[in-house]
Amino acid sequence: AAAVAGLLKGRQGIYTENERRLGTEIKLRFFKILLVFVICWLPNLINESLLFYLELQPDMNVDGLKNVRNAALITWFIMSILNPMQGFLSTLAFYGWTGCDFYLKFQRQ
């Protein structure tokens, strides 16, 4: 963050309005990308901690651990959806939703 601040300063060592806006935009993009990463990989941490807890039990198949097994199964399904979507969600976080308006050279001909 300090390197970004140093790059944004003008030659006089003061920030202009454009540099402040650019700095805010960079911070917001970084926050969005970090949020996508945490959302996509948090189920993995939860699932692994649940599986580790189940491994520590002498008998996993008791009825008292049924809720833990179900929670591990649910987080496993959530992982299977969110992990592959990380690339798409990161693209949305970085570029935003621009719709399907693509510019191709052969369209002008």
Side-chain angles (χ1 to χ4, degrees):
V4 172
L7 290 173
L8 291 177
K9 283 185 182 178
R11 289 186 177 176
Q12 290 81 20
I14 57 173
Y15 289 109
T16 64
E17 187 60 37
N18 289 339
E19 291 164 342
R20 283 190 186 94
R21 189 173 27 85
L22 185 62
T24 304
E25 185 179 324
I26 289 171
K27 288 177 187 177
L28 184 63
R29 276 190 185 174
F30 180 73
F31 174 75
K32 287 178 184 177
I33 291 171
L34 192 61
L35 185 66
V36 165
F37 181 80
V38 168
I39 288 172
C40 288
W41 290 97
L42 187 64
N44 291 52
L45 293 174
I46 294 170
N47 186 277
E48 286 300 318
S49 61
L50 290 172
L51 292 177
F52 183 69
Y53 175 74
L54 286 173
E55 284 182 9
L56 293 177
Q57 303 306 313
D59 185 18
M60 271 198 280
N61 296 322
V62 261
D63 287 335
L65 296 175
K66 184 178 179 183
N67 290 336
V68 177
R69 288 193 312 265
N70 286 340
L73 185 64
I74 290 169
T75 56
W76 186 63
F77 283 119
I78 293 171
M79 283 168 40
S80 69
I81 294 169
L82 285 180
N83 290 164
M85 284 182 59
Q86 184 189 0
F88 174 70
L89 293 175
S90 293
T91 303
L92 283 179
F94 190 76
Y95 293 110
W97 182 258
T98 59
C100 296
D101 187 24
F102 295 111
Y103 173 73
L104 300 174
K105 286 186 178 183
F106 64 84
Q107 287 179 343
R108 285 204 157 192
Q109 294 174 351

